[in-house]
Amino acid sequence: MTRQSIAAELESAADRIGDISRADLQIILRRAALMLRNVTGVPLEPATEDALNSIATEMNVGRSYLIQVILREWLETNAYLPVREIDEDSDTDGSA
């Protein structure tokens, strides 16, 4: 979802506040809160922004955190940052 589509949903809900169900209103407000929480200063193409938001939701992480991980991994892969070493003998739950 883009900011414009969420804004349109909020405006539509405000116009029909007496007819909208509590569950639908909760969904719209949660989407708006997620979008506000993930506001950044980097303008992205709508398709890129939608993909990031979908992945962040799927992974249950914030959009900013997801961008940090992607950027760090790209910098490591392209030798702009040293690659972090992982102790092969340590117990992990699959996260870095």
Side-chain angles (χ1 to χ4, degrees), residues 7-71:
E9 269 191 76
L10 287 169
E11 288 171 342
S12 175
D15 291 341
R16 55 189 174 88
I17 194 73
D19 300 327
I20 194 166
S21 73
R22 178 184 167 103
D24 287 342
L25 187 57
Q26 280 182 313
I27 291 168
I28 293 169
L29 291 173
R30 287 186 194 280
R31 285 181 186 161
L34 178 64
M35 187 66 72
L36 288 172
R37 195 175 304 120
N38 292 324
V39 169
T40 63
V42 179
L44 300 172
E45 295 176 354
T48 303
E49 190 162 339
D50 287 344
L52 281 172
N53 288 335
S54 295
I55 295 167
T57 301
E58 183 179 310
M59 294 176 64
N60 199 28
V61 297
R63 181 175 173 263
S64 296
Y65 175 77
L66 179 63
I67 291 171
Q68 289 175 23
V69 170
I70 292 169
L71 184 58

